[in-house]
Amino acid sequence: MSRTIIESDANPRMKRWRKLAKEARAVKREGATLIEGIHLAESALENPKIAVDAVLLSEKTATDEALDLAEVLMREKNARVYVLADRLYDELAPVEHGVGIMCEMPVPKTGALDFGRADVLYLDGIQDAGNAGTLIRTAVAAGFRTIAASPGTAQLWAPKVLRAGMGAHFGARIFEGVTPEAFRGAFKGQILAADARGGENLFTAPMATDGPVAWIMGAEGPGVSDAALAVADARRLIPIEAACESLNVGAAAAVCLFETRRRRMI
């Protein structure tokens, strides 16, 4: 396996990877991102639509499994392999004590805003990377494989969001920077907003499950914005015990999305 050794902080590739690892704006600007770990690398390998431009290995801590996977990625994805001094690799890695492999991949292009007949999860101002990744993972699991995000939502292809998504990104269509008004104009179905401040009981209110359904999920704290509420057809409230003030947005999304799935199975 042909490898390029990188030991200097001043290496141009290292400078670029550092920006991708730490700056969400760089991901958007460069049209590329970093994925970390065996699972995400294997998920990228198995998806013919996902390209891998480079494999980054930790010089001393890359496991045998990581080394074997790097060789396969080089062969199957035509990726170049770079071996980084441990201190440089650790600077990029989003976790401690990993297996010593990361990949650089181009961010997939989604194309024009067109939802067709798909169910959609709309992320309204979700800024926490862990929540954003969890929401994508939950949506894909529930059959909501199209994700739209408001301009105020975290960069969904940022490394930390990808890690939280655990490969679900590769099974989804993702549209970013979509205003509520643009979302309403492009989506031809029922739009429901999960709103802890009010609305009809999720479990007893009607739901038009014979056509496309979209759920709007808002950020922790402020919830769904007024602009997003304005384009929703209805609000839904998850009834919870008085002893608990609210649900995490990831948990709330799981309840709402799988309630839609459950009703379609009846």
Side-chain angles (χ1 to χ4, degrees):
M1 177 169 57
S2 176
R3 310 177 187 181
T4 300
I5 308 297
I6 296 180
E7 297 180 330
S8 171
D9 296 84
N11 182 281
R13 290 188 179 275
M14 182 62 197
K15 289 182 177 180
R16 181 169 183 270
W17 292 330
R18 187 182 291 115
K19 290 180 180 178
L20 293 179
K22 300 182 182 300
E23 301 175 17
R25 285 178 295 180
V27 171
K28 181 178 181 179
R29 182 176 65 249
E30 298 291 335
T33 190
L34 297 176
I35 56 176
E36 187 275 336
I38 295 292
H39 180 74
L40 285 180
E42 287 181 338
S43 296
L45 175 64
E46 293 166 2
N47 191 319
K49 296 181 180 180
I50 300 298
V52 176
D53 291 337
V55 179
L56 289 60
L57 296 171
S58 179
E59 182 179 18
K60 296 180 180 178
T61 62
T63 64
D64 290 341
E65 185 180 12
L67 295 173
D68 291 342
L69 182 54
E71 189 166 349
V72 176
L73 287 163
M74 182 178 66
R75 183 174 64 249
E76 300 294 333
K77 296 286 189 178
N78 198 30
R80 298 187 65 179
V81 178
Y82 298 86
V83 178
L84 279 60
D86 290 351
R87 64 181 181 82
L88 298 181
Y89 183 92
D90 291 344
E91 185 179 348
L92 303 177
V95 297
E96 295 184 17
H97 311 302
V99 296
I101 184 171
M102 285 185 283
C103 299
E104 178 189 339
M105 56 166 280
V107 172
K109 299 185 184 303
T110 309
L113 188 63
D114 181 6
F115 299 124
R117 297 283 296 171
D119 293 325
V120 179
L121 174 64
Y122 183 81
L123 307 184
D124 180 41
I126 306 293
Q127 296 181 352
D128 181 82
N131 281 337
T134 297
L135 285 161
I136 293 172
R137 185 180 182 184
T138 300
V140 172
F144 285 67
R145 298 182 63 174
T146 300
I147 314 296
S150 72
T153 294
Q155 165 56 246
L156 297 185
W157 289 98
K160 289 183 179 179
V161 181
L162 277 157
R163 181 169 179 80
M166 290 297 290
H169 285 69
F170 304 143
R173 287 194 309 153
I174 297 175
F175 297 93
E176 297 189 89
V178 181
T179 65
E181 295 76 17
F183 177 55
R184 174 72 276 182
F187 183 75
K188 309 305 179 184
Q190 184 181 36
I191 299 179
L192 300 173
D195 190 0
R197 297 166 295 186
E200 295 183 81
N201 186 315
L202 168 68
F203 302 118
T204 58
M207 186 182 300
T209 54
D210 56 338
V213 173
W215 277 99
I216 299 175
M217 295 288 159
E220 299 279 351
V224 179
S225 67
D226 290 340
L229 285 175
V231 305
D233 297 307
R235 295 185 298 159
R236 293 292 183 264
L237 173 70
I238 301 172
I240 62 175
E241 293 294 318
C244 181
E245 181 180 349
S246 64
L247 290 174
N248 169 272
V249 66
V255 173
C256 294
L257 300 183
F258 278 97
E259 174 63 9
T260 306
R261 186 179 180 92
R262 183 194 69 80
R263 294 198 190 194
R264 286 177 171 159
M265 297 173 66
I266 297 175

